[in-house]
Amino acid sequence: ATRNDDIMMFLSRLRKTQPLCVFLFLPFNSTITSVVSFSTMPGSPPNPYSFLPEAPTFAVTSTDLEEGATLKAPQLSKAFGVEGGEDVSPSLSWSSEGVPPETKSFVVTCYDPDAPTVSGFWHWIVYDIPATTTSLPTGAGNPDRSGLPPGAKMLKNDAGFAGFCGAAPPPGHGEHRYI
């Protein structure tokens, strides 16, 4: 099996067992380096990544997201009919400081563990992001892939298309985390 097979198997298992929405940075050597949550919800199920062994971390920032804040209209789902939603992926930036030197590529995922399904809802999965990459621009998750670095690939999200699907919690369902 190739490293990509290992990553895809990991993501497949994660999709079946983990109830959450995540921006997950995974180096190609299969060591989770950073999990960034842009929203938390008191009394919610635990973050399953908290049960994994500690790993090196690095900072991730965004000009489109604010920790603990409500998502802005561009990051809401047009595909699911949310008023003002645009399905625009947020900008993400990180420093190479703290990234293990053996890193070959990154994976970015966005997952909602609070979606009313048996396994949450996967909004975005990008893999094979070159290790030299330190940012993804706003809109990199466009289905035409024009904002992705060369070689990066997207898997289908739970809405059925390869791209970023914005947030669309059902009315009255309360706050959701996007991890």
Side-chain angles (χ1 to χ4, degrees), residues 160-173:
F161 65 92
F164 178 82
C165 180
H173 198 260

Side-chain angles (χ1 to χ4, degrees), residues 81-106:
V82 176
E83 188 174 333
E86 299 177 30
D87 293 313
V88 174
S89 61
S91 69
L92 297 171
S93 298
W94 57 95
S95 167
S96 59
E97 186 176 319
V99 175
E102 64 275 10
T103 299
K104 304 286 188 233
S105 66
F106 295 100

Side-chain angles (χ1 to χ4, degrees), residues 78-149:
K78 181 178 184 176
F80 282 97
V82 176
E83 188 174 333
E86 299 177 30
D87 293 313
V88 174
S89 61
S91 69
L92 297 171
S93 298
W94 57 95
S95 167
S96 59
E97 186 176 319
V99 175
E102 64 275 10
T103 299
K104 304 286 188 233
S105 66
F106 295 100
V107 172
V108 173
T109 69
C110 178
Y111 177 73
D112 177 358
D114 306 306
T117 69
V118 295
S119 62
F121 190 93
W122 289 87
H123 290 263
W124 195 28
I125 304 168
V126 185
Y127 68 102
D128 276 351
I129 300 168
T132 55
T133 301
T134 57
S135 66
L136 294 175
T138 301
N142 187 318
D144 73 7
R145 297 171 171 79
S146 61
L148 292 178

Side-chain angles (χ1 to χ4, degrees), residues 41-97:
M41 191 169 58
S44 61
N47 178 338
Y49 296 107
S50 300
F51 301 103
L52 296 175
E54 209 166 305
T57 62
F58 55 93
V60 178
T61 61
S62 176
T63 58
D64 299 317
L65 304 172
E66 186 179 326
E67 179 71 35
T70 301
L71 295 173
K72 297 173 188 163
Q75 282 72 54
L76 301 179
S77 182
K78 181 178 184 176
F80 282 97
V82 176
E83 188 174 333
E86 299 177 30
D87 293 313
V88 174
S89 61
S91 69
L92 297 171
S93 298
W94 57 95
S95 167
S96 59
E97 186 176 319

